[in-house]
Amino acid sequence: MWEELEQLHNELHGPWIVMGDYNAIQSFEDMYNGNPVMEAETRYFSDFLENTRMTELKTVGREFTWTNNHVYSRIDRALVNARCMMNMTQLEVVLQDPLFSDHTPVCVYFEHDHQPMPKLFKFFNNLAEHKEFQSQVKDTWEVSMLRPAMQRIWMKLKRLKKGSKQLNVEEYNRIPKMIQAIREKLQQVQLEMRIPNHSEGLKNSEKDLKEKWIMVEESILKQKSN
């Protein structure tokens, strides 16, 4: 991986940001409560930074970016090359609370003009899991139309889209607000869990909150990422 990244660095001449899960630490300070850090664990990362002169952007927020609830480590980063530092204005890199994940989201904020766009209907796979969806498709497809074959398909898809939009409005429009409310509760619980010797009940509360609507949100996020 390090060799491929170094090769890309040598081939690219413009601003470049490399961010995400490197699954590697840079120093012993990047791990807490794990096995002693050996020099071999940091060598390739250090050599890569030295050879490319890439720099890690300054972060705010959490100290560690991954945990299995026992070991804490900093393996998610945002690196930039010199051209990026000179030509692009970074506001900040925020290490956010992990909420449902074992990784901390790494968010780079830039100065930009936000141009509002009309909101489009997007079909998410979780809609197909609704109990009424299959019957809606069946009813739409069984409608008789005296049209050429491809025109019939097009018209039925338009009818199905209209029905899907209505089903989405009735059943799933409130999901973002519900998930946001759960996120806020989860964030408060995880904030309290930072306090040493916190109560065991907080772990149960965290688990319960993670299970609410997690499958719906995970399905949506997975589809968006693809």
Side-chain angles (χ1 to χ4, degrees):
M1 181 188 74
W2 300 115
E3 291 177 356
E4 292 180 358
L5 285 175
E6 192 167 335
Q7 182 179 351
L8 281 171
H9 176 269
N10 295 332
E11 295 173 354
L12 295 173
H13 303 288
W16 192 34
I17 299 178
V18 192
M19 60 186 295
D21 174 15
Y22 288 88
N23 200 29
I25 58 176
Q26 191 178 351
S27 70
F28 72 93
E29 296 176 345
D30 291 337
M31 183 175 291
Y32 171 75
N33 213 27
N35 295 325
V37 176
M38 308 300 291
E39 186 270 339
E41 297 179 68
T42 63
R43 181 193 311 155
Y44 296 112
F45 200 168
S46 299
D47 289 347
F48 170 75
L49 293 176
E50 182 176 350
N51 294 339
T52 61
R53 296 291 187 266
M54 293 192 74
T55 304
E56 181 181 3
L57 291 175
K58 184 178 179 181
T59 60
V60 296
R62 300 173 68 88
E63 182 177 1
F64 299 104
T65 67
W66 176 87
T67 182
N68 61 2
N69 294 323
H70 174 68
V71 177
Y72 294 81
S73 63
R74 184 183 179 92
I75 57 177
D76 302 83
R77 302 172 186 273
L79 307 178
V80 294
N81 62 357
R83 185 64 64 85
C84 186
M85 293 291 289
M86 290 187 295
N87 295 354
M88 303 181 74
T89 303
Q90 291 85 32
L91 294 180
E92 57 187 0
V93 179
V94 180
L95 301 182
Q96 299 182 334
D97 287 322
L99 297 177
F100 303 124
S101 176
D102 55 350
H103 281 271
T104 294
V106 180
C107 298
V108 181
Y109 289 88
F110 297 93
E111 290 181 342
H112 66 282
D113 295 326
H114 177 67
Q115 299 293 333
M117 299 291 290
K119 187 176 181 180
L120 301 176
F121 170 69
K122 297 180 180 180
F123 181 91
F124 291 115
N125 293 334
N126 63 283
L127 191 61
E129 302 297 326
H130 194 276
K131 60 183 179 181
E132 296 181 11
F133 181 75
Q134 292 291 340
S135 60
Q136 188 181 81
V137 175
K138 184 174 182 293
D139 293 343
T140 301
W141 231 250
E142 288 180 348
V143 173
S144 179
M145 296 180 179
L146 298 177
R147 296 284 193 280
M150 288 305 300
Q151 189 175 5
R152 290 201 304 270
I153 294 175
W154 176 76
M155 294 181 68
K156 288 179 179 181
L157 286 173
K158 285 198 68 175
R159 289 169 61 93
L160 181 60
K161 177 183 177 181
K162 183 178 180 181
S164 297
K165 287 177 68 175
Q166 183 63 32
L167 185 62
N168 185 67
V169 169
E170 293 174 354
E171 299 293 333
Y172 292 105
N173 255 16
R174 67 184 187 277
I175 283 182
K177 292 183 179 180
M178 295 176 68
I179 291 179
Q180 180 60 32
I182 294 172
R183 282 183 179 275
E184 291 173 0
K185 292 180 182 178
L186 182 59
Q187 193 168 18
Q188 180 60 37
V189 169
Q190 291 180 341
L191 185 63
E192 294 176 13
M193 290 177 69
R194 297 186 188 182
I195 302 174
N197 301 320
H198 57 263
S199 67
E200 289 296 319
L202 287 175
K203 291 183 179 180
N204 295 329
S205 298
E206 182 186 35
K207 181 180 178 181
D208 293 340
L209 288 169
K210 284 183 177 181
E211 291 176 350
K212 293 181 179 179
W213 292 99
I214 188 172
M215 297 305 296
V216 171
E217 185 186 41
E218 185 175 326
S219 172
I220 291 174
L221 293 177
K222 183 177 181 181
Q223 189 173 348
K224 283 184 174 180
S225 70
N226 290 335

